[in-house]
Amino acid sequence: MLSKKSKSSALHETDGVSQSDITNLSSIKKIQNKRKAKLDTETLVAEILNGSITALSRAITLVESSNPSHLTQANEVIKACLPNANASIRIGITGVPGVGKSTFIEALGLYLTDLGKKVAVLAVDPSSSLSKGSILGDKTRMEDLVKNDNAFIRPSPSGTSLGGVARKTRESIILCEAAGFDTIIIETVGVGQSETAVHSMVDFFLLLKIAGAGDELQGIKRGIIEMADAIAINKADGDNLKAAKLAKVEFNRALHLYPQKASEWQPKVTLCSALHREGISDLWQHISEYMDFTKANNYFETHRTEQNKFWLLQTIEDRLKSDFFNQPKIKEALQTQLQLIEEGKTTPFVAAEYLLTLQ
Amino acid sequence: MLSKKSKSSALHETDGVSQSDITNLSSIKKIQNKRKAKLDTETLVAEILNGSITALSRAITLVESSNPSHLTQANEVIKACLPNANASIRIGITGVPGVGKSTFIEALGLYLTDLGKKVAVLAVDPSSSLSKGSILGDKTRMEDLVKNDNAFIRPSPSGTSLGGVARKTRESIILCEAAGFDTIIIETVGVGQSETAVHSMVDFFLLLKIAGAGDELQGIKRGIIEMADAIAINKADGDNLKAAKLAKVEFNRALHLYPQKASEWQPKVTLCSALHREGISDLWQHISEYMDFTKANNYFETHRTEQNKFWLLQTIEDRLKSDFFNQPKIKEALQTQLQLIEEGKTTPFVAAEYLLTLQ
């Protein structure tokens, strides 16, 4: 009877190679595999820079993967893409469900592709992993744009933490830019902290609104209005037009109550009907003026640098947390400490001190 | 000529003690010092539990200190106080500058001490370290309450991060409760994230408002309104009364638009004039009803447990960050990486990966 090893050798010998050949072969294969992976990254980058949507999608999948080796390759790809990124405008769009975000983004996207632009639409929606309230989960909601060769639509990466979702989206922006997309639209829902995350990765932040129906209340969230570089009131058509015009006056007045923005830009309110593709060119005109204005006063560049610095710190904080809490011994001890807190037998601070000694 | 050592020995010999005696003496002193420190903590705790304001102030100073040995003693004191804490109501009060927070807190505090209660007033104001816009910096703003033997007023701890300020305040709550204070009022300013921090350490969250004058806009911050267990419209007197009554109707309507709170409590709007000490008893009645209601449906206890769990995680996150960023080599390397970002020579993610390898 043959041992496993000799069996294996025997098998190889039938192939006409000796044990030492096998060792060599194995080394060669390793080198080949390494070369293949290396080649893959190079090919991937070359194809991305060549505008291949398939390569772009594949690279974004690497970015979104939780596999550490994918992460390593993703970092290599991003680093290689970096010199070809940045040449775009990044536009954040937020609005509560019901304002017609998908219709609006499709209208804007089609308008821009008609102008010869290449438009990538990404999303930040931390809830999407739970498959509820997700945005862009269904590409059919932008069925004309999705068919367009100069448009690229990618749903929100999944993830339980906003930090993780935001990181993935931010890296995807770089990949899209390297693939030649000159207009990046980042969609987010009008709830939670996701606006703040999106605001910190875009050049221009648009708040989408509709007139009436309780929406005013949600809209006058001081934080969101302060972030907006423009407010577009959608569904300004038919019976809605009068109310939309009133809302425009109201929001214009509200905008003037806020202190001047760091960009020195004075945000405006515009009307539009995404359904009828009306008001889109006015809005684009407004965005173009913003670009010229902030590039002239140097805000555009300094703002991007500030955003990068913010993301450096944010990334470190996210990693420190996940490195700590993902340790099996910490996971276990944390459960015990939470139990002790529940029983009133420890304080949060004593428990924290204890857990920190375990790392 | 005597060497340093023999000189020293000679000196000791003139005191009539030998070298071995000195060693023994030094050991004894060490033990005595250790005993003294031990005794200090015990005495401090005993005096706090006895209601000594001096001891309470001293313990809070330990909590606020950045000296590691003070921190160790602070933790010992808190741990010892813990079984005597928790028997209080913790009330958070927020409102933008100008709503009359100090006058209101003084009126409420005096009303409660008249009822025989012991009232501690703390504050969370991350900006106070910069000596601008600080609250409670000047106790003279509550000069009647400060003279009251059953009241204890402590300004906001200083600190550059909200996390640090919040931790210190939260530990001070435990010390105040152990010292017999049954009503803890935590004041905060109506800006930034400090409301969220205060909301996460109190049982009842009160939003203080005034009618008119642009305040509506700031008030309809959805987040803050959602947090409020009651809204009190202050300065409801004289010429203001009519506007205040209108605002009451408006806010009551707004409150009903929000989904039911986890506590199942329906927040109300009350009118008051802190200056004339009017409406304070109605508000207290409202707070007492809340206490009865949430103790009956068990929300009070489960909410405190949830808050403790939240603070456990928060404390760990704060410590992970400060442990990382306070390392001299990280501080230095971070500056280099920020410079590279400024020059567009690296990405936030590549820079973060690099810095994380240095720890």
Side-chain angles (χ1 to χ4, degrees):
Chain A
M1 204 182 144
L2 286 164
S3 75
K4 248 189 173 174
K5 198 183 161 204
S6 53
K7 201 175 174 181
S8 160
S9 296
L11 273 170
H12 284 292
E13 271 158 9
T14 59
D15 292 330
V17 282
S18 72
Q19 188 60 41
S20 70
D21 283 337
I22 291 167
T23 313
N24 286 341
L25 194 67
S26 148
S27 306
I28 291 163
K29 274 199 172 163
K30 269 185 195 157
I31 293 164
Q32 281 179 332
N33 279 335
K34 216 173 166 187
R35 275 202 190 130
K36 198 168 165 241
K38 198 87 186 156
L39 198 68
D40 268 355
T41 298
E42 277 167 23
T43 313
L44 199 56
V45 171
E47 285 178 4
I48 290 170
L49 296 180
N50 212 22
S52 156
I53 297 294
T54 313
L56 174 61
S57 298
R58 203 179 141 192
I60 293 180
T61 302
L62 286 176
V63 161
E64 294 179 352
S65 169
S66 54
N67 180 327
S69 77
H70 291 174
L71 185 68
T72 307
Q73 204 191 356
N75 282 346
E76 285 170 15
V77 173
I78 290 164
K79 211 167 176 175
C81 283
L82 202 63
N84 297 83
N86 284 314
S88 76
I89 176 158
R90 304 166 183 169
I91 302 167
I93 297 181
T94 189
V96 295
V99 298
K101 268 198 306 295
S102 299
T103 315
F104 175 84
I105 291 171
E106 179 161 69
L108 178 62
L110 291 171
Y111 174 80
L112 293 173
T113 52
D114 279 353
L115 290 183
K117 297 199 175 286
K118 289 191 71 181
V119 180
V121 182
L122 308 172
V124 169
D125 177 10
S127 71
S128 67
S129 57
L130 307 165
S131 300
K132 53 177 183 186
S134 80
I135 51 179
L136 280 175
D138 184 4
K139 284 189 185 183
T140 57
R141 285 157 66 197
M142 301 186 190
E143 54 181 5
D144 286 335
L145 192 61
V146 86
K147 283 183 237 152
N148 193 305
D149 283 344
N150 286 319
F152 174 72
I153 303 180
R154 180 92 181 187
S156 177
S158 63
T160 45
S161 82
L162 175 58
V165 172
R167 177 189 65 78
K168 293 168 188 172
T169 304
R170 214 166 178 286
E171 294 184 336
S172 299
I173 292 175
I174 293 171
L175 298 173
C176 289
E177 290 175 349
F181 289 93
D182 52 33
T183 314
I184 318 288
I185 294 174
I186 324 281
E187 178 185 11
T188 189
V189 283
V191 288
Q193 295 297 306
S194 53
E195 275 97 349
T196 313
V198 170
H199 181 249
S200 65
M201 61 175 85
V202 298
D203 306 310
F204 188 93
F205 195 67
L206 175 69
L207 173 59
L208 206 61
K209 305 281 308 167
I210 48 167
D215 192 42
E216 292 95 331
L217 194 74
Q218 294 183 317
I220 311 184
K221 283 200 274 185
R222 193 167 204 254
I224 305 285
I225 298 240
E226 277 187 326
M227 279 190 241
D229 296 304
I231 298 175
I233 299 170
N234 193 23
K235 303 190 184 178
D237 47 36
D239 294 343
N240 268 327
L241 189 57
K242 203 179 155 189
K245 281 182 177 171
L246 275 173
K248 181 180 171 177
V249 174
E250 224 170 88
F251 278 114
N252 255 326
R253 200 171 45 202
L255 283 175
H256 280 276
L257 292 176
Y258 292 106
Q260 193 180 47
K261 296 174 89 80
S263 61
E264 298 178 24
W265 173 252
Q266 177 58 50
K268 280 179 208 156
V269 184
T270 61
L271 295 180
C272 66
S273 165
L275 192 67
H276 299 102
R277 310 259 160 104
E278 286 165 6
I280 305 295
S281 63
D282 283 356
L283 182 65
W284 183 247
Q285 173 68 22
H286 190 52
I287 296 175
S288 304
E289 280 168 19
Y290 173 88
M291 286 284 282
D292 293 343
F293 182 82
T294 55
K295 283 191 170 172
N297 74 6
N298 216 28
Y299 177 79
F300 189 88
E301 270 309 301
T302 55
H303 183 224
R304 282 206 172 177
T305 302
E306 286 312 309
Q307 288 181 329
N308 282 334
K309 289 180 179 175
F310 168 80
W311 281 102
L312 164 60
L313 300 176
Q314 198 60 45
T315 306
I316 291 176
E317 288 174 18
D318 288 345
R319 271 285 299 279
L320 291 174
K321 278 195 267 180
S322 63
D323 286 355
F324 181 81
F325 287 109
N326 287 338
Q327 295 170 69
K329 62 180 172 187
I330 297 290
K331 276 186 184 172
E332 201 187 319
L334 178 62
Q335 288 315 312
T336 311
Q337 293 301 313
L338 288 172
Q339 186 58 38
L340 289 174
I341 281 181
E342 205 143 307
E343 294 163 7
K345 288 181 181 158
T346 188
T347 71
F349 305 104
V350 172
E353 291 291 330
Y354 169 72
L355 290 169
L356 286 161
T357 62
L358 297 183
Q359 65 180 324
Chain B
M1 207 180 146
L2 287 164
S3 74
K4 248 192 173 173
K5 198 186 159 202
S6 56
K7 199 176 175 180
S8 160
S9 296
L11 273 171
H12 284 292
E13 271 158 8
T14 59
D15 290 333
V17 282
S18 72
Q19 188 62 42
S20 69
D21 283 336
I22 290 167
T23 314
N24 285 342
L25 195 68
S26 148
S27 305
I28 291 164
K29 273 197 175 167
K30 268 186 196 159
I31 292 165
Q32 280 178 332
N33 280 335
K34 215 175 167 186
R35 275 203 189 131
K36 200 170 164 241
K38 199 81 184 161
L39 199 68
D40 269 355
T41 298
E42 275 166 27
T43 312
L44 198 56
V45 172
E47 286 177 5
I48 290 170
L49 296 180
N50 211 21
S52 156
I53 297 296
T54 314
L56 174 60
S57 298
R58 205 180 139 193
I60 294 180
T61 302
L62 286 175
V63 161
E64 293 178 353
S65 169
S66 56
N67 179 327
S69 78
H70 290 173
L71 185 69
T72 308
Q73 204 191 356
N75 282 347
E76 285 170 15
V77 173
I78 290 164
K79 211 167 177 177
C81 283
L82 201 64
N84 296 84
N86 284 314
S88 77
I89 175 158
R90 302 165 184 168
I91 303 167
I93 298 181
T94 190
V96 295
V99 297
K101 269 199 304 294
S102 299
T103 314
F104 176 84
I105 290 171
E106 180 162 68
L108 178 61
L110 291 171
Y111 174 80
L112 293 173
T113 52
D114 279 353
L115 290 183
K117 297 198 175 290
K118 288 191 74 182
V119 180
V121 183
L122 307 172
V124 170
D125 178 10
S127 71
S128 67
S129 58
L130 307 166
S131 300
K132 55 178 180 184
S134 79
I135 51 177
L136 280 177
D138 184 4
K139 285 190 185 182
T140 57
R141 283 158 66 197
M142 300 185 189
E143 55 180 6
D144 287 334
L145 192 60
V146 86
K147 283 183 238 152
N148 194 306
D149 283 345
N150 287 319
F152 173 74
I153 303 179
R154 180 90 181 187
S156 176
S158 62
T160 45
S161 82
L162 177 58
V165 172
R167 177 189 65 78
K168 293 169 189 172
T169 304
R170 213 165 178 286
E171 295 186 334
S172 299
I173 292 175
I174 293 171
L175 297 173
C176 289
E177 290 175 349
F181 289 94
D182 51 35
T183 314
I184 317 288
I185 295 174
I186 322 282
E187 179 186 9
T188 190
V189 284
V191 289
Q193 295 296 307
S194 54
E195 275 96 350
T196 313
V198 170
H199 182 249
S200 67
M201 59 175 85
V202 298
D203 307 309
F204 188 93
F205 196 68
L206 175 68
L207 173 59
L208 206 61
K209 305 280 308 166
I210 47 168
D215 190 43
E216 293 93 330
L217 195 74
Q218 294 183 318
I220 311 182
K221 284 200 273 186
R222 193 168 203 254
I224 304 284
I225 297 242
E226 277 187 327
M227 278 190 240
D229 296 303
I231 298 175
I233 300 170
N234 193 22
K235 303 190 184 178
D237 46 36
D239 294 345
N240 268 327
L241 188 57
K242 202 180 156 189
K245 281 181 176 171
L246 275 173
K248 182 181 169 174
V249 174
E250 225 170 86
F251 279 114
N252 255 326
R253 199 172 45 205
L255 282 175
H256 280 276
L257 292 176
Y258 293 106
Q260 193 180 46
K261 296 173 89 80
S263 61
E264 297 177 26
W265 173 253
Q266 177 58 50
K268 281 177 208 157
V269 185
T270 61
L271 295 180
C272 67
S273 165
L275 191 67
H276 299 101
R277 311 261 161 100
E278 286 166 6
I280 304 296
S281 63
D282 283 355
L283 181 65
W284 183 249
Q285 174 67 25
H286 191 51
I287 295 175
S288 303
E289 280 168 19
Y290 174 88
M291 286 285 282
D292 293 343
F293 182 81
T294 55
K295 283 192 170 174
N297 73 6
N298 217 28
Y299 177 78
F300 189 88
E301 270 308 301
T302 53
H303 183 226
R304 281 206 173 177
T305 302
E306 286 312 309
Q307 288 181 327
N308 282 333
K309 289 179 179 174
F310 168 79
W311 281 102
L312 165 59
L313 301 176
Q314 198 60 45
T315 306
I316 291 175
E317 288 175 17
D318 288 346
R319 271 285 299 280
L320 291 174
K321 278 195 266 179
S322 63
D323 285 355
F324 181 81
F325 287 110
N326 287 337
Q327 296 169 69
K329 63 180 173 188
I330 297 291
K331 277 186 184 174
E332 201 187 319
L334 178 63
Q335 288 315 312
T336 311
Q337 292 302 313
L338 288 173
Q339 186 59 36
L340 289 173
I341 281 181
E342 204 142 310
E343 294 163 7
K345 287 181 182 159
T346 188
T347 73
F349 305 104
V350 171
E353 290 291 330
Y354 169 71
L355 289 170
L356 285 161
T357 60
L358 296 183
Q359 65 178 325

